[in-house]
Every structure is written in C-alpha cells, then in structure tokens.
C-alpha cells in the first residue's frame, strides 16, 4: 500500500502560491509585494481583509510592467537610506524609524508637517492639507467600521476590492450558510470553484450546501470532484505528499451521503477505510465507520473501530458513549454502564450519556440503581427542560417506586411538552387505574385514542374500565371490536370480546368466540379453561331447561340475578393490561432513536372462572351459604390468578 505524509497546515500553495513557484517567479512576486504594501500605506483607499491566494497575480517574467513599481520602490528606499546616513540632522534620524512601518510612517508625517508649518508662506496650506488628510481618514475609518460589523459585511467588502480570491467567496458563503440562507450561499461557493477550480474545500462546500438543499445527486457530484482532486494512493508505490486534514473530510461527507441508501453501505465503508489508509490517526473516520458498522449489524467490528479511536483520544466522552451503545447492541449491559460512566467522568453533564445510562439502570430492574437513575434523569431534564422523554422516564421510576403523586406530576409534564405522547398518556391512565381512579383514567385514554386510534393497549384498558366500572358492555365491545378490525389475530382483543359475549348472556356466541381464540393461540391455557367453563355452564343450563342466548333468556337472567345465582354482573379483567407498561425512547448518537414496548401481561376473566366453578360445587347449599361461598371463592380465584401471573412472569 502507498503511504501519505500529512502536512500539519492547510494547503500552503493556495494561501501563498508564490512560495511554491519556481525562480524567477517566486523572487519577482515577493519583491513586487513590497511596493504594493507601500502604496497601501500611502493611499489606503482599497482595503481588503485577505490578500492571499489569487489576490495578486504572480509576476512570472522580467517583462511584466509591475517590475517598474518594484524598481521605483527600491530606488526610493535607497535614497532614503542614503539621506539618513549622509546627514545627521533631525530629519535623517526620523527617517530611520521607518523600520517600524506603521508607527514610523505616522512619525514621519508628523515630522514633515512640523517642518512645513514653520514656513510662513506654507503655514496655511500645511494646515489645510493636514485637516483634509485627517478628515478623509476619519471618514474612511468610520466607514471601515461598518465593514467589520459582521463576517458577511467584512468579506463582501473585500470582494469589492478583490474578486480573484477563492477564500473570500467561500467565506461569504459560510456567512450566508450560518444564516441558513443556502441558495445564496451556494452561488458564492460555486463562484469559488470557478475562481480556483482545484480548491478542494470549495467543492466540498458546494456538496454540503447541495445536501442541505436536499439535492443529493448534485451533492454527490460535487464531492466526487473534490475527491478526484485528492492525491491518490497507488498500491505498491510509496510517496509523500501534503494533504490538508480538513480535506480528508471529503471521504467522510461522501460516505455519510451515500450511506442513506441501504444498497450502498459497503461503498460507504470503503470510503471510510480509504480515509483511514491515507491517515491512520484520522479519528473521525473511525467514529463514522463505527456508526456505519452498527447500521450494518456488525457490532463487534463497530466496537473495534471505537476502540481504535479511543487509542487516539481517550478524553473524548462521545467515544465512550458510542462504545456503550455498541455494548447495548451486543447485550452487554454492565459494560455499557461502565462506558457510560466513563463518558460522564469526562463530562458530568453529557446529556445522552445521562439519559441512556439512567434508562439502562431503570430497565435493569435493580432497586439499588433506582436512586442513581432518578438523579441522572433529573440532571438530564435540567439540561434538556423541553425534552418530554426525560420527564416520562422520571414518571416511570416513580411508578416503580410506588410514588403515585410524583409519577402523575412527571407524566403530566411530559404530556404538556409533547401533545399526544403515547407512552406517557397510556401509563398515566394505567397509574389512575391501578390507584382506583378509573374515572380519571377514561379522559386520558380518550386523549390517547384521539392521537392514536388503533393503540391496542389503550383500547384494552379502556374496555376493561368500561366493563368493570361503568358496566358499559356496549362501549367495551366497541373497543375490542376496533382492535380486531385492525388486527384480527389479536388474542387479547379476541378473548376480551368473548368475555363481553359471556357478560351479555350469549353463551353460544361466547363459546364460538373462545373456540376461535383457542385456534389463534392453542397454547394459552387460560383460554382453554374459560372455554370449558362456558361449555359447563351451557350444559348445566340446558339440563335445567334455561335459554342459552341473551335474547331468549333476558327474563330468566333477571330472575337468576335476583336469586343470587351465577351469571350476574361481576368484575372482568380482559387481557391483563392493568399490569402492562409502555416504555419510552432511547436516545443514541450512533443508533438514532429506538422505541420499545413491553408485552402485555395476561390474566383470565375472573368472572368466567367464578361462574363456572360455582355451578359445579354449590349444589345442595342454602342461598346464604351459596352467597358466602361464592364471595370467598371469587376472592380466592382472583388471588390464584394473580399468583399464576406472577409465577409465569407475564
């Protein structure tokens, strides 16, 4: 492989082309610069903040007329030197201070004025001349101050004097770019490429501006031109050249542009590797390549890239942060937490490290981590007071700790900052439901469903509340049917609809519904158990000559309720969303953001269990005994199902 020696400064032949010119161009140009600067001292009418690059064209031959100015300058300089050495009076001594150009020139003007003003016939004229000189220069200074008002005014004033300096065109473009005025900035960057076609930086500026204007094809073309101007690494040949460190970013910019196309990820990786081959200590190339390798699902290679970057700079908190993100991808939470902590040691207020490390602690479920996670989220919201995610996760921690008031406050704050915040709305409704504040939960769920009409968890929770607390079977049925319209295979929604049919006393329909649910989820034992309960209930009612459907048995059902028998209204918990949680978002530099939701927990319909088993076990008892047994059995079965749920980890 070829090797490239990188210069420590930007390309000097751009800033000072005479410095790398051959003889006699180099000597003639440098000598010509002396009379140019002398004339600016005497007549500062055309001032420019930058005289580099092509401002003054090279003097390439002795026949160039500008050599006469050089000759005149040296002649005058010789006469002044002769005068100061030949004579010893005060004027000669004053001339000698010209080696300090600006100060010496001012002293020389003052000395000349003093001599002239002493002569009677020239006294008035000298005062007039000095007055005009001071007035004109004062006006010039005042106007020049306006030129220095901003970068834009400074560089545009320079362009009035010098239109052959590509750096000035680029600088005006940068000033406009800082104002987000990309169309105008583009015009100046393009002009810079015309003035200096081999200016790599100008072509990079063009590419970046096209990208900001969402003109990807034009941006890629500009980057490719810039890349073609870079020295090429030739395999098998060793050579040395000067490469500006900033110009190596053309590989990074081009790779970052094309990696948005999933089919060109390998091509982008090749560009990163090419930049690294040209400069093995190019830290940004390793960082960008690490991000790409994560996107390509190559976390181990991404880790190697970040570790290589850390060898070059162990004091960069962003590198430790990105390495932690790789550890999360590789299912190494302890390593991730350690690297997040490294980032926070270097920058205690690193916002993303604070957020993600706290989230990692929260997700671990370890009580010992909860106080520190809470502290980090609090620091994060101090840094990002308008980020709803920080307040949401504070609310989740408060929920875990059983601090209902704090959880409500943080969730409300998150919703204020982000209208329609799905996870915050759902968990606030869940918080109210768990606290027995179902009337408060319903408007929150309505708001959630207004923004997210097909939110399954929200629909299930709303259906449960309508069923258990409002006794609104029609409203609950509408919720579960809405779920099945968008997801016919949703087991929880289907099962809950079966519970509604049971509550409506339509046992044949409940049986068919449970059979369909069991076909969708043959491994769900609670569905099979509830189907057996319904079938047992149907058999018992058939034997007793009771109607099986709601339409046929409305009167019988009313009578049965009056007698305290099974089948009345009771508590029904659908698919267990009362214990479900919905998590927020993880911020990541290397990975962007990712959203995740915990699976809903499952629980059976307690009313189904109560009714089915009571039919089989209470024959021959008195009405009072039956009621007492039914009450105790309902409580026992609810507790049993809760234990089942805990043991199964759902």
């Amino acid at each position: 492989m070829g090797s490239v020696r990188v210069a420590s400064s930007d390309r000097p032949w751009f800033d000072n082309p005479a410095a790398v010119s051959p003889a006699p161009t180099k000597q003639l140009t440098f000598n010509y610069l002396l009379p140019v600067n002398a004339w600016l001292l005497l007549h500062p009418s055309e001032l420019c903040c930058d005289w580099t690059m092509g401002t003054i064209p090279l003097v390439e031959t002795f026949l160039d007329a500008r050599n006469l100015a050089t000759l005149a300058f040296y002649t005058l300089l010789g006469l002044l030197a002769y005068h100061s050495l030949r004579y010893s009076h005060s004027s000669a001594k004053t001339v000698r201070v010209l080696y300090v150009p600006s100060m010496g020139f001012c002293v020389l003007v003052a000395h000349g004025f003093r001599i002239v003003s002493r002569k009677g016939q020239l006294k008035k004229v000298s005062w007039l001349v000095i007055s005009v000189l001071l007035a004109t220069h004062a006006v010039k200074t005042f106007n020049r101050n306006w030129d220095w008002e901003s970068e834009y005014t400074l560089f545009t004033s320079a362009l009035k004097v010098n239109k052959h300096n590509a750096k000035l065109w680029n600088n005006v473009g940068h000033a406009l770019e800082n104002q987000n005025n990309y169309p105008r900035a583009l015009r100046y960057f393009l002009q810079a490429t015309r003035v200096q076609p081999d200016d790599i930086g100008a072509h990079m500026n063009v590419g970046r501006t096209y990208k900001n204007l969402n003109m990807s094809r034009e941006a890629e073309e500009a980057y490719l031109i810039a890349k073609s101007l870079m020295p090429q690494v030739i395999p098998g040949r060793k050579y040395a050249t000067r490469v500006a460190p900033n110009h190596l970013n053309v590989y990074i910019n081009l790779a970052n542009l094309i990696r948005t196309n999933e089919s060109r990820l390998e091509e982008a990786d090749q560009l990163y590797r090419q930049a690294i081959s040209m400069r093995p200590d190019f830290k940004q190339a390793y960082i960008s390549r690490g991000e790409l390798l994560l996107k390509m699902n190559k976390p181990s290679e991404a880790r190697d890239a970040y570790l290589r970057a850390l060898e070059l700079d162990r004091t960069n908190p962003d590198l430790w942060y990105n390495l932690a993100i790789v550890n999360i991808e590789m299912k190494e939470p302890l390593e991730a937490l350690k690297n997040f902590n490294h980032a926070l040691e270097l920058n205690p207020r690193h916002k993303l490290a604070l957020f993600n490390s706290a989230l990692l602690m929260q997700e671990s479920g370890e009580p010992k981590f909860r106080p520190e996670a809470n502290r980090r989220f609090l620091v994060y919201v101090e840094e990002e007071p308008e980020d709803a995610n920080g307040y949401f996760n504070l609310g989740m921690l408060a929920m875990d700790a059983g601090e209902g008031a704090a959880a409500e406050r943080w969730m409300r704050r998150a919703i204020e900052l982000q209208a329609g915040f799905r996870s915050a709305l759902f968990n606030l409704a869940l918080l109210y439901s768990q606290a027995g504040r179902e009337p408060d939960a319903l408007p929150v769920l309505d708001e959630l469903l207004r923004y997210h009409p097909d939110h399954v968890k929200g629909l299930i929770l709303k259906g449960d509340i309508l069923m258990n607390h409002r006794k609104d079977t029609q409203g609950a049925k509408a919720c579960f049917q809405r779920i099945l319209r968008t997801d016919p295979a949703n087991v929880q929604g289907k099962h809950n609809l079966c519970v509604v049919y049971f509550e409506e006393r339509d046992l044949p329909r409940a049986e068919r519904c449970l059979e369909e649910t069991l076909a969708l989820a043959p491994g769900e034992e609670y569905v099979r158990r509830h189907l057996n309960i319904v079938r047992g209930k149907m058999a018992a009612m058939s034997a007793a000559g009771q109607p099986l459907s709601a339409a046929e048995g409305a009167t019988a059902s009313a009578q049965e309720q009056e007698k305290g028998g099974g089948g009345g209204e009771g508590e029904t918990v659908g698919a267990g969303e009362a214990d479900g949680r919905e998590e927020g978002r993880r911020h990541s530099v290397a990975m962007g953001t990712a959203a995740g939701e915990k699976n809903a927990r499952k629980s059976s319909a307690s009313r189904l269990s109560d009714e089915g088993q009571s039919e089989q076990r209470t024959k021959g008892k008195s009405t009072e005994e039956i009621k007492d047994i039914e009450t105790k059995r309902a409580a026992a079965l609810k507790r049993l199902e809760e234990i089942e749920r805990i043991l199964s980890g759902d």
Side-chain angles (χ1 to χ4, degrees):
M1 290 291 292
S3 61
V4 177
R5 185 174 66 197
V6 181
S8 60
S9 62
D10 219 342
R11 301 176 73 174
W13 55 92
F14 275 10
D15 283 352
N16 189 2
V20 293
S21 298
T25 300
K26 179 177 181 178
Q27 290 74 20
L28 292 174
T29 303
F30 277 159
N31 281 282
Y32 172 66
L33 293 177
L34 298 174
V36 169
N37 283 284
W39 177 247
L40 286 174
L41 186 66
L42 293 170
H43 185 64
S45 61
E46 294 185 341
L47 299 177
C48 181
C49 60
D50 193 311
W51 292 86
T52 59
M53 300 186 77
T55 301
I56 300 174
L58 298 174
V59 181
E60 298 180 313
T61 68
F62 288 101
L63 299 177
D64 194 310
R66 290 174 294 175
N67 289 319
L68 295 175
T70 305
L71 181 61
F73 173 79
Y74 277 111
T75 301
L76 180 60
L77 188 63
L79 291 173
L80 287 172
Y82 173 77
H83 179 80
S84 63
L85 294 173
R86 175 71 177 78
Y87 303 102
S88 58
H89 52 73
S90 59
S91 296
K93 293 178 181 178
T94 303
V95 168
R96 292 171 194 170
V97 302
L98 281 174
Y99 72 89
V100 186
S102 298
M103 183 183 295
F105 181 72
C106 293
V107 171
L108 186 62
V109 171
H111 179 70
F113 171 72
R114 188 184 66 173
I115 294 174
V116 174
S117 64
R118 287 177 178 176
K119 297 180 180 181
Q121 65 275 22
L122 296 177
K123 185 174 183 179
K124 292 182 179 180
V125 175
S126 63
W127 277 103
L128 178 62
V129 170
I130 198 69
S131 299
V132 171
L133 184 66
L134 290 174
T136 54
H137 280 71
V139 172
K140 181 68 175 178
T141 302
F142 179 81
N143 289 334
R144 186 62 174 162
N145 286 336
W146 288 109
D147 291 339
W148 284 83
E149 182 182 16
S150 66
E151 285 188 350
Y152 176 75
T153 57
L154 176 63
F155 295 126
T156 50
S157 70
L159 280 176
K160 295 174 184 176
V161 176
N162 171 27
K163 298 184 183 300
H164 302 290
N165 187 333
K167 189 189 296 186
L168 292 175
W169 291 99
N170 280 318
N171 285 341
V172 175
H174 286 308
L176 291 168
E177 189 178 34
N178 292 336
Q179 300 171 12
N180 296 326
N181 192 342
Y182 299 119
R184 286 192 63 199
L186 179 61
R187 293 200 292 270
Y188 282 90
F189 289 141
L190 287 170
Q191 183 60 28
T193 64
R194 298 185 191 105
V195 171
Q196 189 82 39
D198 59 345
D199 185 354
I200 297 174
H203 290 287
M204 290 174 63
N205 292 336
V206 171
R208 185 181 62 255
T209 309
Y210 274 132
K211 184 175 182 294
N212 288 330
L213 291 169
N214 297 318
M215 301 171 68
S216 298
R217 183 178 59 82
E218 291 82 355
E220 183 175 351
E221 291 174 357
Y223 284 138
L224 287 173
I225 294 173
K227 179 174 173 287
S228 69
L229 295 170
M230 293 288 292
Q232 302 300 308
V233 177
I234 303 174
R237 176 183 172 187
K238 292 184 178 181
Y239 66 95
T241 187
R242 298 186 177 207
V243 178
N246 287 339
H247 290 168
L248 282 172
N249 284 322
V250 68
Y251 295 97
I252 306 298
N253 294 346
L254 181 56
N256 290 345
L257 178 68
I258 67 175
R259 65 189 256 185
T260 56
N261 185 338
E262 294 290 335
S263 65
R264 303 182 69 182
L265 297 182
E266 290 291 345
E267 186 180 346
D269 188 36
Q270 176 62 31
L271 287 166
Y272 292 135
R273 286 186 278 125
Q274 189 172 356
I276 292 170
S277 70
M278 296 186 74
R279 184 177 174 184
D281 63 344
F282 192 9
K283 180 180 65 178
Q284 186 56 47
Y286 291 108
I287 295 173
S288 298
R289 184 167 186 249
E291 295 173 4
L292 176 67
L293 290 168
L294 266 180
K295 187 175 182 180
M296 296 170 70
N297 294 319
K298 297 179 179 180
S300 60
E301 293 183 42
R303 179 178 59 187
D304 293 341
Y306 287 132
L307 289 173
R308 181 70 182 92
L310 280 169
E311 291 176 9
L312 301 170
D313 182 8
R314 299 188 68 82
T315 63
N316 187 331
D318 290 337
L319 281 175
W320 290 106
Y321 170 81
N322 283 358
L323 183 59
I325 295 297
V326 175
N327 294 138
I328 290 174
E329 285 295 300
M330 298 181 71
K331 313 299 182 188
E332 299 171 346
L334 294 180
E335 281 297 307
L337 189 57
K338 183 174 71 175
N339 290 321
F340 280 137
N341 289 337
H342 276 306
L344 291 170
E345 287 170 7
L346 294 167
N347 179 8
R349 304 188 82 82
H350 190 291
K351 290 180 287 191
L352 293 176
L354 283 166
F355 184 90
N356 282 294
S357 61
L359 194 59
L360 190 62
M361 290 176 175
Q362 180 184 0
E363 290 172 350
S364 72
E366 291 284 344
K368 63 181 180 181
F369 285 146
R370 188 175 295 137
E372 179 60 17
N374 192 70
R375 186 193 70 80
R376 293 188 182 187
F377 277 131
L378 284 170
V379 176
Y380 174 77
V381 297
E382 287 176 9
E383 295 294 304
E384 290 287 339
E386 299 303 313
D387 188 348
N389 287 290
Y391 295 100
F392 166 73
N393 283 283
L394 282 169
M396 294 294 284
L397 282 171
M399 285 182 71
D400 290 338
E403 299 169 357
E408 180 181 0
R409 183 173 69 254
W410 294 128
M411 291 295 184
R412 285 288 184 191
R413 178 60 178 151
I415 295 165
E416 287 173 10
L417 290 171
Q418 182 180 322
F421 192 157
R422 184 185 64 187
S423 299
L425 285 165
F426 174 76
N427 283 287
L428 179 59
L430 182 62
L431 177 68
Y432 287 147
S433 176
Q434 290 174 338
R437 297 169 58 186
E438 284 80 7
D440 293 332
L442 283 176
V444 177
L445 288 169
D446 288 338
E447 183 178 356
L448 168 68
L449 295 171
R450 185 169 68 251
Y451 285 98
H452 310 282
D454 299 323
H455 191 279
V456 173
K457 292 182 180 184
L459 287 167
I460 288 180
L461 183 56
K462 182 179 179 181
D464 288 342
I465 293 173
L466 291 174
M467 186 73 131
N468 296 330
H469 300 279
R470 289 288 183 87
K471 310 306 179 185
D472 181 1
T473 56
Q474 292 303 312
K477 182 192 291 187
C479 291
F480 303 140
Q481 287 175 337
R482 190 195 299 185
I483 295 171
L484 296 176
R485 279 197 296 270
T486 56
D487 182 11
N490 188 287
V491 175
Q492 294 169 320
K494 186 76 171 176
H495 173 264
N496 283 10
L497 187 59
C498 303
V499 175
V500 172
Y501 294 147
F502 183 84
E503 288 295 311
E504 290 179 338
R505 293 299 188 237
D506 195 342
L507 297 184
R509 195 170 185 183
E511 180 187 27
R512 290 194 302 273
C513 180
L514 285 167
E515 287 172 347
E516 293 170 1
T517 306
L518 191 61
L520 291 172
E524 296 291 358
E525 186 58 34
Y526 73 96
V527 179
R528 189 182 305 277
R529 186 169 69 249
H530 294 167
L531 178 58
N532 291 335
I533 291 169
V534 170
R535 286 173 175 171
K537 175 73 172 177
M538 292 174 66
M541 293 178 70
S542 295
Q546 296 177 351
L548 301 180
S549 67
E552 297 172 355
T555 304
S557 177
Q559 293 172 351
E560 187 177 352
Q561 289 181 35
E562 289 175 1
K563 294 176 181 179
E569 293 179 347
E571 181 181 2
T572 303
V573 178
E577 271 298 326
D579 292 315
R581 299 285 290 279
E582 185 170 40
E583 300 298 332
R585 298 182 181 273
R586 175 184 299 280
H587 294 267
S588 167
V589 166
M591 297 158 44
T593 57
E597 295 183 2
K598 290 185 179 178
N599 292 329
R601 299 181 182 182
K602 301 168 187 171
S603 70
S604 60
S606 60
R607 184 61 187 167
L608 282 173
S609 299
D610 296 350
E611 296 242 358
Q613 296 188 33
S614 67
E615 281 290 324
Q616 299 171 14
R617 301 183 183 182
T618 59
K619 293 181 179 179
K621 303 289 183 180
S622 68
T623 303
E624 185 175 349
E625 288 174 330
I626 289 172
K627 287 183 178 180
D628 183 56
I629 291 171
E630 285 291 318
T631 302
K632 291 179 180 179
R633 183 174 292 121
L637 287 171
K638 281 186 65 178
R639 179 61 184 158
L640 182 62
E641 289 190 347
E642 181 68 17
I643 293 170
E644 269 183 31
R645 191 164 62 246
I646 294 171
L647 291 176
S648 64
D650 291 331

